[in-house]
Amino acid sequence: MSGWDIRPQGVQGVLKTAGETAGGIEKQATAFGEHLKSAATSAGTVAADGAEGADNGGLVALALSQFAEHAVKDIKFVAARAGKSLTGAVEATTAYLDGDLTMAAQAQREALGAPDIDPEKPGVQEG
Protein backbone atom coordinates (compact mmCIF):
# COMPACT_ATOMS: atom_id res chain seq x y z
CA MET A 1 0.00 0.00 0.00
CA SER A 2 1.34 3.41 -0.91
CA GLY A 3 1.43 6.45 1.33
CA TRP A 4 -0.59 8.43 -1.21
CA ASP A 5 -3.95 9.85 -0.27
CA ILE A 6 -5.21 12.10 -3.05
CA ARG A 7 -8.58 13.77 -2.77
CA PRO A 8 -9.72 14.64 -6.33
CA GLN A 9 -12.02 17.43 -5.14
CA GLY A 10 -9.11 19.08 -3.34
CA VAL A 11 -6.90 18.72 -6.41
CA GLN A 12 -9.65 20.22 -8.56
CA GLY A 13 -9.91 23.24 -6.25
CA VAL A 14 -6.17 23.81 -6.25
CA LEU A 15 -5.98 23.43 -10.03
CA LYS A 16 -8.79 25.94 -10.50
CA THR A 17 -7.07 28.51 -8.28
CA ALA A 18 -3.66 27.88 -9.84
CA GLY A 19 -5.14 28.06 -13.35
CA GLU A 20 -6.78 31.39 -12.63
CA THR A 21 -3.52 32.72 -11.23
CA ALA A 22 -1.53 31.40 -14.20
CA GLY A 23 -4.07 33.03 -16.53
CA GLY A 24 -3.26 36.33 -14.86
CA ILE A 25 0.36 35.99 -15.97
CA GLU A 26 -0.67 36.76 -19.56
CA LYS A 27 -2.50 39.91 -18.48
CA GLN A 28 0.45 41.00 -16.36
CA ALA A 29 2.89 40.32 -19.20
CA THR A 30 0.81 42.46 -21.55
CA ALA A 31 0.66 45.29 -19.01
CA PHE A 32 4.41 44.91 -18.40
CA GLY A 33 5.12 45.37 -22.11
CA GLU A 34 2.85 48.41 -22.34
CA HIS A 35 4.51 50.04 -19.32
CA LEU A 36 8.00 49.42 -20.69
CA LYS A 37 7.01 50.89 -24.03
CA SER A 38 5.52 53.94 -22.31
CA ALA A 39 8.64 54.38 -20.18
CA ALA A 40 10.91 54.13 -23.23
CA THR A 41 8.81 56.67 -25.11
CA SER A 42 8.68 59.05 -22.15
CA ALA A 43 12.42 58.84 -21.58
CA GLY A 44 13.16 60.78 -24.77
CA THR A 45 16.74 61.22 -25.93
CA VAL A 46 19.72 63.30 -25.07
CA ALA A 47 21.40 64.79 -28.14
CA ALA A 48 25.11 65.58 -28.34
CA ASP A 49 24.44 69.27 -27.73
CA GLY A 50 22.30 68.53 -24.67
CA ALA A 51 18.93 69.25 -26.34
CA GLU A 52 16.18 66.74 -25.75
CA GLY A 53 14.52 65.05 -28.71
CA ALA A 54 11.61 62.62 -28.86
CA ASP A 55 12.09 61.26 -32.37
CA ASN A 56 14.83 58.71 -31.61
CA GLY A 57 15.30 56.36 -28.69
CA GLY A 58 18.01 57.28 -26.26
CA LEU A 59 20.13 55.27 -23.86
CA VAL A 60 17.24 54.70 -21.44
CA ALA A 61 15.00 53.44 -24.24
CA LEU A 62 17.79 51.14 -25.43
CA ALA A 63 18.37 49.81 -21.92
CA LEU A 64 14.64 49.20 -21.44
CA SER A 65 14.46 47.41 -24.77
CA GLN A 66 17.35 45.12 -23.87
CA PHE A 67 15.85 44.48 -20.44
CA ALA A 68 12.50 43.62 -22.03
CA GLU A 69 14.13 41.09 -24.37
CA HIS A 70 15.48 39.15 -21.40
CA ALA A 71 12.44 39.63 -19.17
CA VAL A 72 10.03 38.37 -21.83
CA LYS A 73 11.94 35.07 -22.01
CA ASP A 74 11.62 34.67 -18.24
CA ILE A 75 7.91 35.50 -18.27
CA LYS A 76 7.30 33.01 -21.08
CA PHE A 77 9.22 30.38 -19.12
CA VAL A 78 7.14 30.98 -15.98
CA ALA A 79 3.91 30.70 -17.99
CA ALA A 80 5.08 27.51 -19.74
CA ARG A 81 6.25 25.98 -16.44
CA ALA A 82 2.89 26.79 -14.82
CA GLY A 83 1.06 25.16 -17.72
CA LYS A 84 3.20 22.02 -17.57
CA SER A 85 2.79 21.81 -13.81
CA LEU A 86 -0.99 22.05 -14.04
CA THR A 87 -1.10 19.46 -16.83
CA GLY A 88 1.17 17.15 -14.81
CA ALA A 89 -1.07 17.45 -11.76
CA VAL A 90 -4.13 16.55 -13.84
CA GLU A 91 -2.36 13.57 -15.43
CA ALA A 92 -1.03 12.31 -12.08
CA THR A 93 -4.45 12.58 -10.43
CA THR A 94 -6.10 10.82 -13.38
CA ALA A 95 -3.53 8.00 -13.21
CA TYR A 96 -4.08 7.71 -9.45
CA LEU A 97 -7.84 7.47 -9.91
CA ASP A 98 -7.46 4.98 -12.78
CA GLY A 99 -5.22 2.88 -10.54
CA ASP A 100 -7.85 2.96 -7.79
CA LEU A 101 -10.52 1.85 -10.26
CA THR A 102 -8.29 -0.93 -11.58
CA MET A 103 -7.51 -2.16 -8.07
CA ALA A 104 -11.18 -1.96 -7.07
CA ALA A 105 -12.24 -3.93 -10.16
CA GLN A 106 -9.56 -6.56 -9.47
CA ALA A 107 -10.67 -6.90 -5.83
CA GLN A 108 -14.29 -7.23 -6.95
CA ARG A 109 -13.40 -9.92 -9.51
CA GLU A 110 -11.48 -11.83 -6.87
CA ALA A 111 -14.32 -11.52 -4.37
CA LEU A 112 -16.90 -12.76 -6.90
CA GLY A 113 -14.75 -15.66 -8.07
CA ALA A 114 -15.35 -19.21 -6.93
CA PRO A 115 -13.66 -20.03 -3.65
CA ASP A 116 -10.78 -22.51 -3.66
CA ILE A 117 -11.98 -25.30 -1.39
CA ASP A 118 -8.96 -27.52 -2.00
CA PRO A 119 -5.89 -25.49 -1.06
CA GLU A 120 -3.62 -28.53 -1.54
CA LYS A 121 -3.50 -28.77 -5.31
CA PRO A 122 -1.82 -31.66 -7.08
CA GLY A 123 1.68 -30.98 -8.23
CA VAL A 124 2.46 -28.52 -5.42
CA GLN A 125 5.10 -29.78 -3.07
CA GLU A 126 5.52 -28.40 0.38
CA GLY A 127 8.73 -27.58 1.61
Short mmCIF file of all heavy atoms in Angstrom, two decimals, residues 39-88:
data_model
loop_
_atom_site.label_atom_id
_atom_site.label_comp_id
_atom_site.label_asym_id
_atom_site.label_seq_id
_atom_site.Cartn_x
_atom_site.Cartn_y
_atom_site.Cartn_z
N ALA A 39 7.45 53.83 -20.84
CA ALA A 39 8.64 54.38 -20.18
C ALA A 39 9.71 54.73 -21.21
O ALA A 39 10.36 55.79 -21.11
CB ALA A 39 9.19 53.38 -19.16
N ALA A 40 9.90 53.87 -22.19
CA ALA A 40 10.91 54.13 -23.23
C ALA A 40 10.55 55.36 -24.04
O ALA A 40 11.41 56.19 -24.36
CB ALA A 40 11.05 52.92 -24.14
N THR A 41 9.27 55.51 -24.35
CA THR A 41 8.81 56.67 -25.11
C THR A 41 8.96 57.95 -24.29
O THR A 41 9.38 58.99 -24.80
CB THR A 41 7.34 56.50 -25.53
OG1 THR A 41 7.22 55.30 -26.30
CG2 THR A 41 6.85 57.66 -26.36
N SER A 42 8.62 57.86 -23.02
CA SER A 42 8.68 59.05 -22.15
C SER A 42 10.10 59.46 -21.82
O SER A 42 10.35 60.62 -21.46
CB SER A 42 7.93 58.78 -20.85
OG SER A 42 6.57 58.52 -21.12
N ALA A 43 11.04 58.53 -21.93
CA ALA A 43 12.42 58.84 -21.58
C ALA A 43 13.04 59.85 -22.54
O ALA A 43 13.91 60.62 -22.16
CB ALA A 43 13.26 57.56 -21.56
N GLY A 44 12.60 59.85 -23.80
CA GLY A 44 13.16 60.78 -24.77
C GLY A 44 14.62 60.47 -25.06
O GLY A 44 15.10 59.37 -24.79
N THR A 45 15.32 61.41 -25.60
CA THR A 45 16.74 61.22 -25.93
C THR A 45 17.55 62.40 -25.42
O THR A 45 17.02 63.46 -25.11
CB THR A 45 16.95 61.10 -27.45
OG1 THR A 45 16.57 62.33 -28.05
CG2 THR A 45 16.17 59.96 -28.05
N VAL A 46 18.81 62.20 -25.39
CA VAL A 46 19.72 63.30 -25.07
C VAL A 46 20.65 63.43 -26.27
O VAL A 46 21.41 62.50 -26.59
CB VAL A 46 20.52 63.01 -23.78
CG1 VAL A 46 21.50 64.13 -23.52
CG2 VAL A 46 19.59 62.82 -22.60
N ALA A 47 20.57 64.56 -26.96
CA ALA A 47 21.40 64.79 -28.14
C ALA A 47 22.80 65.23 -27.71
O ALA A 47 23.01 65.59 -26.55
CB ALA A 47 20.75 65.85 -29.04
N ALA A 48 23.72 65.22 -28.64
CA ALA A 48 25.11 65.58 -28.34
C ALA A 48 25.23 66.99 -27.78
O ALA A 48 26.08 67.25 -26.94
CB ALA A 48 25.96 65.44 -29.60
N ASP A 49 24.34 67.90 -28.23
CA ASP A 49 24.44 69.27 -27.73
C ASP A 49 23.63 69.49 -26.45
O ASP A 49 23.50 70.60 -25.97
CB ASP A 49 24.01 70.26 -28.81
CG ASP A 49 22.55 70.07 -29.22
OD1 ASP A 49 21.88 69.17 -28.67
OD2 ASP A 49 22.09 70.81 -30.12
N GLY A 50 23.05 68.42 -25.91
CA GLY A 50 22.30 68.53 -24.67
C GLY A 50 20.83 68.80 -24.86
O GLY A 50 20.08 68.79 -23.90
N ALA A 51 20.35 69.01 -26.10
CA ALA A 51 18.93 69.25 -26.34
C ALA A 51 18.18 67.93 -26.33
O ALA A 51 18.69 66.90 -26.76
CB ALA A 51 18.74 69.94 -27.69
N GLU A 52 16.98 67.96 -25.80
CA GLU A 52 16.18 66.74 -25.75
C GLU A 52 15.43 66.58 -27.06
O GLU A 52 14.95 67.53 -27.64
CB GLU A 52 15.20 66.80 -24.58
CG GLU A 52 15.89 66.71 -23.23
CD GLU A 52 14.90 66.57 -22.09
OE1 GLU A 52 13.78 66.12 -22.33
OE2 GLU A 52 15.28 66.92 -20.97
N GLY A 53 15.29 65.34 -27.51
CA GLY A 53 14.52 65.05 -28.71
C GLY A 53 13.68 63.80 -28.47
O GLY A 53 14.11 62.91 -27.76
N ALA A 54 12.51 63.74 -29.08
CA ALA A 54 11.61 62.62 -28.86
C ALA A 54 11.53 61.70 -30.07
O ALA A 54 10.83 60.71 -30.04
CB ALA A 54 10.22 63.13 -28.49
N ASP A 55 12.21 62.04 -31.14
CA ASP A 55 12.09 61.26 -32.37
C ASP A 55 12.86 59.94 -32.31
O ASP A 55 12.43 58.95 -32.89
CB ASP A 55 12.58 62.07 -33.57
CG ASP A 55 11.68 63.26 -33.85
OD1 ASP A 55 10.51 63.23 -33.39
OD2 ASP A 55 12.14 64.21 -34.50
N ASN A 56 13.99 59.91 -31.67
CA ASN A 56 14.83 58.71 -31.61
C ASN A 56 14.91 58.22 -30.18
O ASN A 56 14.81 58.99 -29.24
CB ASN A 56 16.25 59.02 -32.12
CG ASN A 56 16.24 59.48 -33.56
OD1 ASN A 56 15.51 58.95 -34.37
ND2 ASN A 56 17.04 60.49 -33.86
N GLY A 57 15.13 56.91 -30.04
CA GLY A 57 15.30 56.36 -28.69
C GLY A 57 16.67 56.72 -28.16
O GLY A 57 17.65 56.77 -28.88
N GLY A 58 16.74 56.96 -26.88
CA GLY A 58 18.01 57.28 -26.26
C GLY A 58 18.56 56.09 -25.50
O GLY A 58 18.14 54.94 -25.70
N LEU A 59 19.50 56.35 -24.63
CA LEU A 59 20.13 55.27 -23.86
C LEU A 59 19.13 54.57 -22.94
O LEU A 59 19.18 53.35 -22.79
CB LEU A 59 21.28 55.85 -23.04
CG LEU A 59 22.48 56.34 -23.85
CD1 LEU A 59 23.52 56.96 -22.92
CD2 LEU A 59 23.08 55.20 -24.64
N VAL A 60 18.23 55.32 -22.33
CA VAL A 60 17.24 54.70 -21.44
C VAL A 60 16.31 53.79 -22.23
O VAL A 60 16.03 52.66 -21.83
CB VAL A 60 16.43 55.78 -20.67
CG1 VAL A 60 15.30 55.15 -19.88
CG2 VAL A 60 17.35 56.58 -19.75
N ALA A 61 15.86 54.26 -23.40
CA ALA A 61 15.00 53.44 -24.24
C ALA A 61 15.72 52.17 -24.68
O ALA A 61 15.14 51.07 -24.69
CB ALA A 61 14.53 54.24 -25.45
N LEU A 62 16.99 52.30 -25.03
CA LEU A 62 17.79 51.14 -25.43
C LEU A 62 17.93 50.16 -24.28
O LEU A 62 17.76 48.94 -24.45
CB LEU A 62 19.17 51.59 -25.91
CG LEU A 62 20.14 50.47 -26.31
CD1 LEU A 62 19.59 49.68 -27.49
CD2 LEU A 62 21.51 51.06 -26.63
N ALA A 63 18.23 50.67 -23.10
CA ALA A 63 18.37 49.81 -21.92
C ALA A 63 17.05 49.10 -21.61
O ALA A 63 17.04 47.90 -21.30
CB ALA A 63 18.84 50.63 -20.72
N LEU A 64 15.95 49.81 -21.69
CA LEU A 64 14.64 49.20 -21.44
C LEU A 64 14.32 48.13 -22.47
O LEU A 64 13.77 47.07 -22.14
CB LEU A 64 13.54 50.27 -21.41
CG LEU A 64 13.53 51.17 -20.19
CD1 LEU A 64 12.51 52.30 -20.37
CD2 LEU A 64 13.24 50.38 -18.92
N SER A 65 14.68 48.39 -23.70
CA SER A 65 14.46 47.41 -24.77
C SER A 65 15.25 46.13 -24.51
O SER A 65 14.72 45.02 -24.64
CB SER A 65 14.86 48.02 -26.11
OG SER A 65 14.81 47.06 -27.12
N GLN A 66 16.51 46.28 -24.15
CA GLN A 66 17.35 45.12 -23.87
C GLN A 66 16.84 44.36 -22.63
O GLN A 66 16.84 43.13 -22.60
CB GLN A 66 18.80 45.54 -23.69
CG GLN A 66 19.43 46.01 -25.00
CD GLN A 66 20.83 46.55 -24.80
OE1 GLN A 66 21.28 46.81 -23.69
NE2 GLN A 66 21.54 46.75 -25.91
N PHE A 67 16.42 45.12 -21.63
CA PHE A 67 15.85 44.48 -20.44
C PHE A 67 14.60 43.69 -20.81
O PHE A 67 14.42 42.56 -20.36
CB PHE A 67 15.51 45.54 -19.38
CG PHE A 67 14.73 44.99 -18.23
CD1 PHE A 67 15.35 44.22 -17.26
CD2 PHE A 67 13.37 45.24 -18.11
CE1 PHE A 67 14.63 43.70 -16.20
CE2 PHE A 67 12.64 44.72 -17.05
CZ PHE A 67 13.28 43.95 -16.09
N ALA A 68 13.75 44.28 -21.64
CA ALA A 68 12.50 43.62 -22.03
C ALA A 68 12.77 42.32 -22.77
O ALA A 68 12.08 41.32 -22.57
CB ALA A 68 11.66 44.56 -22.90
N GLU A 69 13.79 42.31 -23.63
CA GLU A 69 14.13 41.09 -24.37
C GLU A 69 14.41 39.92 -23.42
O GLU A 69 13.96 38.80 -23.64
CB GLU A 69 15.35 41.32 -25.25
CG GLU A 69 15.08 42.11 -26.49
CD GLU A 69 16.34 42.30 -27.34
OE1 GLU A 69 17.18 41.36 -27.38
OE2 GLU A 69 16.49 43.37 -27.93
N HIS A 70 15.15 40.20 -22.36
CA HIS A 70 15.48 39.15 -21.40
C HIS A 70 14.30 38.82 -20.50
O HIS A 70 14.05 37.66 -20.18
CB HIS A 70 16.70 39.56 -20.57
CG HIS A 70 17.95 39.66 -21.37
ND1 HIS A 70 18.62 38.56 -21.85
CD2 HIS A 70 18.64 40.74 -21.82
CE1 HIS A 70 19.67 38.94 -22.54
NE2 HIS A 70 19.70 40.27 -22.54
N ALA A 71 13.57 39.84 -20.08
CA ALA A 71 12.44 39.63 -19.17
C ALA A 71 11.33 38.84 -19.84
O ALA A 71 10.69 38.00 -19.20
CB ALA A 71 11.92 40.98 -18.66
N VAL A 72 11.09 39.07 -21.11
CA VAL A 72 10.03 38.37 -21.83
C VAL A 72 10.31 36.86 -21.85
O VAL A 72 9.41 36.04 -21.67
CB VAL A 72 9.86 38.93 -23.27
CG1 VAL A 72 9.03 38.01 -24.14
CG2 VAL A 72 9.22 40.31 -23.20
N LYS A 73 11.58 36.50 -22.03
CA LYS A 73 11.94 35.07 -22.01
C LYS A 73 11.60 34.46 -20.65
O LYS A 73 11.08 33.35 -20.57
CB LYS A 73 13.43 34.90 -22.32
CG LYS A 73 13.80 35.21 -23.74
CD LYS A 73 15.30 35.11 -23.95
CE LYS A 73 15.71 35.60 -25.33
NZ LYS A 73 17.16 35.62 -25.50
N ASP A 74 11.91 35.18 -19.58
CA ASP A 74 11.62 34.67 -18.24
C ASP A 74 10.12 34.55 -18.00
O ASP A 74 9.65 33.57 -17.41
CB ASP A 74 12.24 35.59 -17.17
CG ASP A 74 13.76 35.53 -17.17
OD1 ASP A 74 14.33 34.54 -17.69
OD2 ASP A 74 14.39 36.47 -16.64
N ILE A 75 9.37 35.53 -18.45
CA ILE A 75 7.91 35.50 -18.27
C ILE A 75 7.31 34.34 -19.05
O ILE A 75 6.45 33.62 -18.54
CB ILE A 75 7.28 36.85 -18.68
CG1 ILE A 75 7.69 37.94 -17.69
CG2 ILE A 75 5.77 36.74 -18.76
CD1 ILE A 75 7.34 39.35 -18.12
N LYS A 76 7.79 34.14 -20.28
CA LYS A 76 7.30 33.01 -21.08
C LYS A 76 7.63 31.69 -20.41
O LYS A 76 6.83 30.75 -20.41
CB LYS A 76 7.89 33.05 -22.49
CG LYS A 76 7.28 34.11 -23.37
CD LYS A 76 7.89 34.08 -24.76
CE LYS A 76 7.28 35.13 -25.66
NZ LYS A 76 7.86 35.10 -27.01
N PHE A 77 8.83 31.60 -19.82
CA PHE A 77 9.22 30.38 -19.12
C PHE A 77 8.30 30.11 -17.93
O PHE A 77 7.86 28.98 -17.73
CB PHE A 77 10.68 30.46 -18.66
CG PHE A 77 11.12 29.25 -17.89
CD1 PHE A 77 11.54 28.10 -18.56
CD2 PHE A 77 11.08 29.23 -16.51
CE1 PHE A 77 11.91 26.97 -17.86
CE2 PHE A 77 11.45 28.10 -15.80
CZ PHE A 77 11.87 26.96 -16.48
N VAL A 78 8.02 31.14 -17.15
CA VAL A 78 7.14 30.98 -15.98
C VAL A 78 5.76 30.50 -16.43
O VAL A 78 5.18 29.59 -15.84
CB VAL A 78 7.04 32.29 -15.17
CG1 VAL A 78 5.93 32.23 -14.15
CG2 VAL A 78 8.37 32.60 -14.50
N ALA A 79 5.22 31.10 -17.49
CA ALA A 79 3.91 30.70 -17.99
C ALA A 79 3.92 29.25 -18.49
O ALA A 79 3.01 28.47 -18.19
CB ALA A 79 3.46 31.65 -19.10
N ALA A 80 4.97 28.89 -19.23
CA ALA A 80 5.08 27.51 -19.74
C ALA A 80 5.23 26.52 -18.59
O ALA A 80 4.63 25.45 -18.60
CB ALA A 80 6.25 27.40 -20.71
N ARG A 81 6.04 26.86 -17.60
CA ARG A 81 6.25 25.98 -16.44
C ARG A 81 4.93 25.80 -15.68
O ARG A 81 4.59 24.69 -15.27
CB ARG A 81 7.34 26.55 -15.53
CG ARG A 81 7.51 25.86 -14.20
CD ARG A 81 7.76 24.37 -14.27
NE ARG A 81 8.95 24.06 -15.01
CZ ARG A 81 9.15 22.91 -15.63
NH1 ARG A 81 8.27 21.96 -15.59
NH2 ARG A 81 10.27 22.69 -16.28
N ALA A 82 4.18 26.87 -15.51
CA ALA A 82 2.89 26.79 -14.82
C ALA A 82 1.94 25.86 -15.58
O ALA A 82 1.29 25.00 -14.99
CB ALA A 82 2.26 28.17 -14.66
N GLY A 83 1.91 26.01 -16.90
CA GLY A 83 1.06 25.16 -17.72
C GLY A 83 1.44 23.69 -17.62
O GLY A 83 0.57 22.82 -17.46
N LYS A 84 2.75 23.41 -17.68
CA LYS A 84 3.20 22.02 -17.57
C LYS A 84 2.92 21.45 -16.18
O LYS A 84 2.57 20.28 -16.05
CB LYS A 84 4.70 21.93 -17.89
CG LYS A 84 5.01 22.10 -19.37
CD LYS A 84 6.46 21.85 -19.66
CE LYS A 84 6.66 20.35 -19.65
NZ LYS A 84 7.82 19.89 -20.37
N SER A 85 3.06 22.28 -15.16
CA SER A 85 2.79 21.81 -13.81
C SER A 85 1.32 21.47 -13.62
O SER A 85 0.97 20.45 -13.01
CB SER A 85 3.21 22.87 -12.78
OG SER A 85 4.61 23.06 -12.83
N LEU A 86 0.45 22.32 -14.14
CA LEU A 86 -0.99 22.05 -14.04
C LEU A 86 -1.36 20.79 -14.82
O LEU A 86 -2.11 19.95 -14.32
CB LEU A 86 -1.78 23.26 -14.55
CG LEU A 86 -1.69 24.52 -13.72
CD1 LEU A 86 -2.35 25.70 -14.42
CD2 LEU A 86 -2.28 24.32 -12.33
N THR A 87 -0.83 20.66 -16.02
CA THR A 87 -1.10 19.46 -16.83
C THR A 87 -0.59 18.21 -16.12
O THR A 87 -1.27 17.19 -16.08
CB THR A 87 -0.44 19.60 -18.22
OG1 THR A 87 -0.99 20.74 -18.87
CG2 THR A 87 -0.68 18.37 -19.06
N GLY A 88 0.60 18.29 -15.54
CA GLY A 88 1.17 17.15 -14.81
C GLY A 88 0.32 16.76 -13.61
O GLY A 88 0.12 15.57 -13.35
#
